[in-house]
Amino acid sequence: MADEGSIITDMGLGAPAPNGADTLPAAGIISQYVKDLSVENPNAPDSFQWTDAPEIDVQFNIGARALSEEVSEIELKIAIKSRTQAGTAFIIDLAYCGLVGMRNLDEPQMHAFTYAEAPRILFPFARRVISDAVRDAGFPPLLLEPIDFNGIYLQQLAAQQADAEAAGDAPLGNA
């Protein structure tokens, strides 16, 4: 039998809001899925005999759309093209999505989670889908290097701020 003195009854989580509402900030992934996947192997079976080292071009883009006040769909698009002197070996286009829930966050926090943190969370799963797709196309699996989504996000914010200042949002002179 448990000793009554060793039972924790107060978790120290604080009392709920008087009306029972959850007022703490929260953000997280609800679900994730492949929305679209295209695998092209245009020069097979000849491309399996090519010995030149391929040039791999990787492009990515992040999109978001609100589904409700608290739920958004984040879309991580990754396009990969492998070329050699002989031609295109393979083309992979992936749209990997996640449903993200965000509650009680201010606008800058929501924007940062949408365009930096959510893609960072989704990327390893998209990376696996791409690796499997390249392998299933008959080539050695392609393991993409990690992407610093937070660093890219901060660079883009700084560039937007610099563009805004250059466009005339900054003071023109002393009065």
Side-chain angles (χ1 to χ4, degrees):
M1 183 116 179
D3 180 10
E4 295 269 336
S6 66
I7 298 174
I8 300 174
T9 57
D10 181 10
M11 298 298 288
L13 299 177
N19 62 1
D22 182 5
T23 58
L24 295 175
I29 304 292
I30 298 169
S31 176
Q32 51 187 318
Y33 48 92
V34 172
K35 189 168 191 174
D36 186 29
L37 175 62
S38 171
V39 180
E40 296 179 39
N41 196 349
N43 291 302
D46 297 335
S47 58
F48 301 133
Q49 304 304 316
W50 297 342
T51 57
D52 296 341
E55 177 184 310
I56 307 289
D57 179 37
V58 179
Q59 302 292 319
F60 69 94
N61 194 15
I62 301 164
R65 69 183 179 107
L67 301 177
S68 72
E69 188 175 314
E70 294 184 349
V71 178
S72 296
E73 179 187 58
I74 309 302
E75 184 176 55
L76 180 58
K77 286 188 174 187
I78 303 173
I80 301 170
K81 192 176 274 192
S82 173
R83 293 188 199 117
T84 67
Q85 291 288 341
T88 300
F90 62 83
I91 301 168
I92 307 286
D93 287 312
L94 172 66
Y96 194 82
C97 297
L99 294 181
V100 174
M102 292 179 278
R103 178 179 41 215
N104 301 324
L105 297 175
D106 61 21
E107 188 60 36
Q109 290 173 323
M110 288 176 62
H111 194 267
F113 191 84
T114 299
Y115 292 101
E117 189 61 18
R120 184 194 66 78
I121 294 169
L122 295 174
F123 180 74
F125 301 97
R127 177 183 175 190
R128 184 199 49 82
V129 170
I130 289 170
S131 176
D132 289 351
V134 171
R135 184 199 64 221
D136 292 347
F139 298 94
L142 175 64
L143 296 176
L144 296 177
E145 292 291 324
I147 297 171
D148 181 9
F149 289 100
N150 290 316
I152 293 169
Y153 177 76
L154 292 174
Q155 285 177 350
Q156 287 184 341
L157 282 181
Q160 287 174 355
Q161 185 177 23
D163 289 347
E165 290 173 2
D169 290 346
L172 296 176
N174 295 333

